[in-house]
């Protein structure tokens, strides 16, 4: 999948556990885990906002885009 989730790196850098983040943003640990592993098919803006607030980051710090095959499409 071309969208990658960098939540694990952010949590490590902030020395925060997944459980602590889940509690702070009022989501179940299971749902935050699904997001962290990249298995989520969607994310609500309110969830992304809460993650950014708690981790003091920007949406681009949480989510990244890498084209399949590693090549960027030509314009």
């Amino acid at each position: 999948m071309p969208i990658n989730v960098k939540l694990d790196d952010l949590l490590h850098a902030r020395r925060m556990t997944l459980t602590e983040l889940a509690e702070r943003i009022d989501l179940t640990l299971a749902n935050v885990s699904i997001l962290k592993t990249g298995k989520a098919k969607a994310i609500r803006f309110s969830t992304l906002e809460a993650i950014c607030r708690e981790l003091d980051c920007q949406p681009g710090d949480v989510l990244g885009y890498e084209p399949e095959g590693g090549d960027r499409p030509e314009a």
Side-chain angles (χ1 to χ4, degrees):
M1 176 186 274
I3 301 296
N4 56 26
V5 180
K6 302 178 273 186
L7 194 52
D8 206 25
D9 295 334
L10 284 170
L11 288 169
H12 182 71
R14 304 304 194 275
R15 297 180 182 193
M16 185 184 296
T17 66
L18 195 64
T19 302
E20 186 179 353
L21 178 64
E23 290 172 358
R24 287 184 178 198
I25 64 174
D26 198 31
L27 280 181
T28 65
L29 181 57
N31 282 339
V32 179
S33 181
I34 288 169
L35 178 61
K36 184 188 89 144
T37 59
K39 295 179 182 175
K41 298 295 181 193
I43 183 171
R44 292 176 188 233
F45 283 149
S46 59
T47 300
L48 185 57
E49 178 184 354
I51 290 170
C52 290
R53 180 187 66 238
E54 293 302 323
L55 296 179
D56 190 29
C57 65
Q58 294 294 311
D61 298 329
V62 179
L63 302 173
Y65 173 74
E66 187 173 316
E68 290 188 30
D71 296 331
R72 290 194 170 250
E74 295 192 25

